[in-house]
Amino acid sequence: QKEVEQNSGPLSVPEGAIASLNCTYSDRVSQSFFWYRQYSGKSPELIMSIYSNGDKEDGRFTAQLNKASQYVSLLIRDSQPSDSATYLCAVNTHGQNFVFGPGTRLSVLP
Amino acid sequence: SAVISQKPSRDICQRGTSLTIQCQVDSQVTMMFWYRQQPGQSLTLIATANQGSEATYESGFVIDKFPISRPNLTFSTLTVSNMSPEDSSIYLCSVVPGTGKAFFGQGTRLTVV
């Protein structure tokens, strides 16, 4: 059973702070890793993808991958109230099948 | 990326009836995926729709309850049959184009009364 785990939250951070979201996965052969943002009542929106160990930065977002530890994280710098959403970690082992984590609810307080 | 048009966006249905959800993609894709997202939960894969063959259902989901059509490479439907209040959920279609990233339709919010 392939599993992706995340803290459900809510994670509350003040505006301007760094939000750190974590994800672990069980399938060691997983190859592709994604972070999706889902606003309440909306469908998931892709914000980051990462495929190799290390950091990948895109604007205020940084994804970090450690395959040895089977760990993926997302850092959001200078958090804004508009970042308040549920963040889903997704893992793709092969082909087109994705496994999604339960999501972490982030609340950025003004 | 891929643009997916999903409809209806929401519906309120009587128990015992059926609802068909449609997804139209702006490009040809081999597989289309149907997910259910219950309130406060993550995405659960219902089935994978392949053009020209039977859909592949995940454990706990059966064709009689969730029949799927895939008449061509840009379109698919999911029917929720003989609905009960437990079927109240958000239903999402998804595709994974050549980029290897998953994209979603807008979702269908279903309420069964």
Side-chain angles (χ1 to χ4, degrees), chain B residues 8-79:
Chain B
S9 59
R10 59 177 62 228
D11 207 341
I12 300 174
C13 300
Q14 296 291 324
R15 68 178 66 198
T17 63
S18 298
L19 175 71
T20 296
I21 303 167
Q22 301 180 1
C23 271
Q24 178 76 50
V25 190
D26 68 343
S27 58
Q28 294 183 340
V29 291
T30 306
M31 291 188 283
M32 294 180 71
F33 302 88
W34 289 98
Y35 289 89
R36 181 173 72 184
Q37 187 175 32
Q38 296 182 308
Q41 304 295 314
S42 189
L43 305 171
T44 301
L45 182 64
I46 297 171
T48 303
N50 304 293
Q51 195 273 331
S53 64
E54 292 280 333
T56 303
Y57 289 83
E58 298 300 306
S59 176
F61 298 97
V62 295
I63 187 171
D64 290 346
K65 176 67 174 177
F66 298 101
I68 286 172
S69 78
R70 184 80 201 276
N72 57 53
L73 290 173
T74 64
F75 186 80
S76 180
T77 68
L78 170 77
T79 298

Side-chain angles (χ1 to χ4, degrees), chain A residues 32 34 36 38 40-46 49 51 56 88 92 95-103, chain B residues 30-31 33 35 37 40-43 45 48 90 92 96-97 99-107 109:
Chain A
S32 307
F34 306 88
Y36 287 82
Q38 187 174 25
S40 180
K42 302 294 186 181
S43 62
E45 171 194 13
L46 178 66
S49 59
Y51 307 98
K56 179 181 178 183
L88 302 170
N92 184 336
Q96 301 187 357
N97 292 327
F98 283 65
V99 180
F100 288 86
Chain B
T30 306
M31 291 188 283
F33 302 88
Y35 289 89
Q37 187 175 32
Q41 304 295 314
S42 189
L43 305 171
L45 182 64
T48 303
I90 297 173
L92 292 154
V96 183
T99 59
K101 300 170 183 176
F103 296 92
F104 292 87
Q106 300 94 325
R109 182 181 293 273

Side-chain angles (χ1 to χ4, degrees), chain A residues 60-88:
Chain A
R60 295 186 297 111
F61 299 99
T62 298
Q64 299 175 317
L65 174 61
N66 183 326
K67 289 187 178 181
S69 300
Q70 295 175 237
Y71 176 87
V72 193
S73 67
L74 178 70
L75 300 178
I76 306 175
R77 289 182 300 282
D78 188 23
S79 296
Q80 301 298 309
S82 58
D83 294 326
S84 298
T86 297
Y87 289 80
L88 302 170

